[in-house]
Amino acid sequence: MYRLMIQGEEREFPEGTTFLEIAQQYQPEFEDDIVLALYNNKLHELLKRVPGDGTLIFVTTRDNAGKKAYRRSVTLLMQRGVYNLAKAAGKESRVKVMHSVSQAYYCELRGELQATEEYLAALKAEMMKLVEEKHPILKKSIHTEDAVKLFSQLGMKDKEKLFRYRRSSRMNIYSIGNYVDYFYGYMVPDTGYLGYFDLQPYDQGFALIFPNQETKKASEFRPPHKLFHVLKESTQWGEMMGIDTVGALNDAVAAGRIQDVILVQEALMERRIGKIAEDIASQKTKKFVMIAGPSSSGKTTFSHRLSIQLMAQGMHPHPIALDDYYVNRVDTPKDENGDYDYECLEALDIELFNRDMTALLNGKEVAMPTYNFKTGKREYRGNTKRLGPNDILVLEGIHGLNDKLSYSLPKSSKLKIYISALTQLNIDEHNNLPTTDGRLIRRLVRDAMARNTTARETLARWDSVRRGEERHIFPFQEEADIMFNSALIYEIAVLKPYAEPLLFCIDHDCPEYLEAKRILKFLDYFLPVPSEAVERNSILREFIGGSCFKI
């Protein structure tokens, strides 16, 4: 008999009991489906047998790990449905999972079949049939060499490339019936859990839509069209370069081509920034360039690089951080946990900002504030500004797109730019790389280097940062006049040697250990790239150090 502490109560279970059998006993106490088990601070799939005494916590589809497992499993279900329809039609067809869009995955079919409304109706019906039949989702551990051979035989060249660079001798593959694939993470026990999804045609493919707050109902699909097309453009560039998956990037590193990849991408980024500066210079009424974006999107470096390009257009740019308009710390609003909420709009002195900006627009000289983060107070250090005919202010901060911040300024005087690191690289054709993971790794490295913050502290705060983005940034992104993708196709390979030691320092018994372990597993897919190859004006330098800008 094994003793388990469950919800503050000690219970005994016979040796050989699965986590699923225990979860079924407790499921009536949970509104959301239990899909994983957290045993002694380690995640397990429900079909696994309890290994011994310990503490057991149930993970539901409302939890982050449970939500990811659900989405992963629905994706495998969708792939099995595509496989079944192609086999029934006697045609070649496969599906590529491109990227996340509005609580959905954007997917495209490859081969002889098209994602018409009729096809998607048939696919949904096939998937629901598999749900009703409750097929087990089985996991099997095989040698990595055997996996390379298997996926080569199956024609999954992206996975064949990926596994050639794996250090581990074994790996797990998943199957629904005779359909086999690899997935980065855990799965639910069977297809009977997966009845909450929807399919809708979108662009040249379709959206596989998941639940969000309501865990037993597919979300309403509200795609951010501008953002989607920026991401699509970046993805097409990666495909043009022959680097659309991690395996392809590793091939470039192993072949010694990574320096060319870096130079080409940085040149492309500089050309885009130059085009933005050219557009701004052609609009004589623009006096305020408002730059906004989520955490670790590279706003500061972008504002400096844009300023350089504006100078090349004969303009006199003045970069300003909206953080300098913070209210004094004692006056900062607090969040639901009683902590200072630096990300809400009210953390800024909106009245002072509008007074200063209006005075500048009217040609007056203005004393500019500087926020002292050590003392938590606004200071004046003799910095003054006056706008001449060719002067323009480049303002960066998370609220730049919100008109409530700049309510007194004429719309004709403002140009809004949304910047984010929209990762165009996927792990393989069925495992996308979430944009938030790329930004989190950037922040882990920067916080440790520039702010003396441990990886544990950064991970502990990340959920709060993400909630702030959902409230204060993402609702305004589609109002931007220009969108800019700051993600670099090679950046995770450069960040890897910086991030790994930080994450290995997180102890097993820490709440942040699970997330650290997940990121370490993810980083293990990449071959490292030395930072010496990165240009000094690169946005990546904002996070690894060595920038030519004062940031």
Side-chain angles (χ1 to χ4, degrees):
M1 302 292 287
Y2 291 143
R3 294 180 179 180
L4 294 179
M5 183 63 68
I6 306 174
Q7 300 189 158
E9 175 189 15
E10 186 178 278
R11 291 192 56 188
E12 291 188 345
F13 295 91
E15 181 181 351
T17 302
T18 64
F19 289 115
L20 177 61
E21 290 169 328
I22 302 173
Q24 288 170 339
Q25 296 180 32
Y26 282 87
Q27 183 61 68
E29 300 179 22
F30 289 82
E31 181 180 348
D32 309 297
D33 289 341
I34 298 171
V35 289
L36 295 174
L38 184 61
Y39 167 79
N40 289 346
N41 206 29
K42 183 179 179 182
L43 280 175
H44 292 274
E45 289 168 326
L46 294 182
L47 291 177
K48 187 171 181 178
R49 300 182 189 278
V50 177
D53 297 343
T55 301
L56 176 61
I57 298 172
F58 298 113
V59 178
T60 74
T61 49
R62 188 167 297 277
D63 302 309
N64 283 337
K67 184 183 293 187
K68 289 174 181 176
Y70 184 86
R71 293 186 174 195
R72 210 175 284 124
S73 303
V74 173
T75 304
L76 177 60
L77 175 73
M78 179 264 295
Q79 291 169 218
R80 174 64 199 255
V82 169
Y83 170 82
N84 286 356
L85 292 184
K87 187 176 181 181
K91 295 187 176 182
E92 290 290 327
S93 184
R94 60 188 177 89
V95 63
K96 184 173 183 179
V97 179
M98 306 291 283
H99 31 252
S100 300
V101 182
S102 180
Q103 306 303 326
Y105 287 164
Y106 172 68
C107 309
E108 289 184 356
L109 289 180
R110 299 285 193 266
E112 300 176 86
L113 298 177
Q114 301 295 316
T116 62
E117 290 191 11
E118 181 182 6
Y119 175 87
L120 293 178
L123 177 57
K124 184 174 182 179
E126 182 64 26
M127 291 170 67
M128 287 306 301
K129 178 172 177 286
L130 293 168
V131 169
E132 292 165 5
E133 293 171 349
K134 296 184 179 180
H135 295 271
I137 299 177
L138 300 177
K139 179 166 71 174
K140 182 180 179 182
S141 174
I142 63 174
H143 284 286
T144 301
E145 290 183 4
D146 293 334
V148 171
K149 294 176 184 176
L150 171 65
F151 289 113
S152 175
Q153 293 168 358
L154 294 174
M156 298 182 182
K157 301 298 182 184
D158 55 318
K159 289 181 172 61
E160 181 186 355
K161 286 183 180 180
L162 182 69
F163 300 140
R164 282 177 181 167
Y165 299 98
R166 290 301 303 274
R167 291 192 183 97
S168 55
S169 59
R170 302 188 69 84
M171 52 172 296
N172 297 320
I173 60 172
Y174 289 92
S175 62
I176 299 176
N178 61 351
Y179 182 84
V180 179
D181 205 345
Y182 169 79
F183 274 87
Y184 158 57
Y186 300 103
M187 293 283 191
V188 306
D190 63 61
T191 59
Y193 286 73
L194 306 177
Y196 316 111
F197 67 89
D198 199 5
L199 301 172
Q200 285 188 30
Y202 185 64
D203 196 66
Q204 296 176 319
F206 65 94
L208 173 60
I209 307 165
F210 306 105
N212 189 24
Q213 297 302 321
E214 294 184 64
T215 63
K216 296 186 178 181
K217 179 183 178 182
S219 305
E220 185 177 352
F221 185 54
R222 295 179 178 175
H225 300 299
K226 290 182 182 178
L227 197 70
F228 172 80
H229 286 291
V230 170
L231 186 50
K232 183 178 178 181
E233 181 183 75
S234 300
T235 302
Q236 289 172 340
W237 180 86
E239 291 176 346
M240 179 188 71
M241 289 285 293
I243 303 176
D244 57 344
T245 64
V246 174
L249 176 65
N250 287 338
D251 279 350
V253 175
R257 295 189 292 111
I258 194 62
Q259 184 69 72
D260 288 343
V261 172
I262 292 173
L263 290 172
V264 170
Q265 175 140 51
E266 292 291 355
L268 178 64
M269 187 167 284
E270 193 64 27
R271 189 177 73 181
R272 287 174 177 166
I273 296 173
K275 181 63 169 62
I276 293 172
E278 187 179 331
D279 290 344
I280 294 170
S282 69
Q283 302 179 57
K284 301 302 182 183
T285 62
K286 303 302 181 186
K287 286 294 181 181
F288 305 97
V289 178
M290 318 290 286
I291 301 171
S295 173
S296 303
S297 53
K299 296 183 290 292
T300 304
T301 301
F302 173 78
S303 67
H304 283 285
R305 287 177 67 170
L306 179 61
S307 295
I308 295 294
Q309 289 289 345
L310 288 169
M311 289 180 197
Q313 295 291 330
M315 304 186 75
H316 300 149
H318 302 274
I320 294 177
L322 290 176
D323 287 359
D324 283 330
Y325 280 89
Y326 272 136
V327 299
N328 292 334
R329 186 171 295 151
V330 294
D331 300 319
T332 303
K334 294 185 177 181
D335 61 19
E336 58 272 16
N337 300 318
D339 299 322
Y340 287 122
D341 187 356
Y342 295 107
E343 292 169 355
C344 68
L345 183 61
E346 292 73 24
L348 298 175
D349 192 333
I350 301 170
E351 297 302 321
L352 177 63
F353 174 77
N354 280 273
R355 197 159 59 241
D356 286 355
M357 296 305 111
T358 300
L360 286 169
L361 190 60
N362 292 332
K364 297 179 181 178
E365 186 176 57
V366 174
M368 304 299 293
T370 299
Y371 188 79
N372 187 325
F373 283 90
K374 290 183 179 179
T375 65
K377 293 181 179 180
R378 188 189 307 132
E379 299 174 351
Y380 287 88
R381 302 173 181 174
N383 178 23
T384 62
K385 290 193 186 299
R386 184 195 299 271
L387 293 186
N390 293 323
D391 287 282
I392 189 167
L393 296 181
V394 180
L395 302 113
E396 62 97 357
I398 64 173
H399 298 288
L401 303 186
N402 187 347
D403 280 329
K404 288 182 179 179
L405 170 70
S406 55
Y407 67 87
S408 68
L409 302 178
K411 287 192 175 182
S412 60
S413 69
K414 297 181 286 187
L415 185 135
K416 300 177 182 179
I417 299 176
Y418 178 78
I419 175 174
S420 188
L422 305 170
T423 309
Q424 63 269 61
L425 196 68
N426 281 348
I427 296 172
D428 57 40
E429 289 196 354
H430 299 146
N431 290 269
N432 73 333
L433 196 165
T435 291
T436 52
D437 280 357
R439 291 195 291 112
L440 175 55
I441 294 168
R442 281 182 172 188
R443 181 160 175 153
L444 283 165
V445 173
R446 183 201 61 193
D447 283 4
M449 183 171 296
R451 302 178 182 179
N452 199 30
T453 304
T454 66
R456 180 186 176 185
E457 291 169 325
T458 299
L459 291 177
R461 178 151 177 75
W462 187 243
D463 282 345
S464 174
V465 171
R466 295 279 293 121
R467 286 194 297 271
E469 294 169 351
E470 294 285 351
R471 293 173 188 163
H472 307 304
I473 301 175
F474 298 150
F476 304 100
Q477 62 188 15
E478 288 293 297
E479 296 179 20
D481 301 301
I482 295 170
M483 288 197 169
F484 182 82
N485 185 5
S486 70
L488 298 155
I489 205 164
Y490 64 85
E491 67 177 72
I492 302 296
V494 174
L495 290 166
K496 172 178 175 167
Y498 293 89
E500 284 184 330
L502 303 173
L503 293 164
F504 277 122
C505 288
I506 297 178
D507 293 334
H508 180 275
D509 57 352
C510 292
E512 295 76 28
Y513 172 77
L514 286 178
E515 184 67 352
K517 183 181 177 183
R518 183 186 72 81
I519 299 171
L520 282 167
K521 181 181 177 183
F522 162 66
L523 289 171
D524 194 47
Y525 290 113
F526 291 81
L527 290 181
V529 170
S531 60
E532 289 78 10
V534 180
E535 301 289 318
R536 289 188 64 219
N537 71 339
S538 173
I539 280 176
L540 193 54
R541 287 288 176 189
E542 184 173 327
F543 306 97
I544 64 174
S547 175
C548 61
F549 302 115
K550 293 181 180 179
I551 53 177

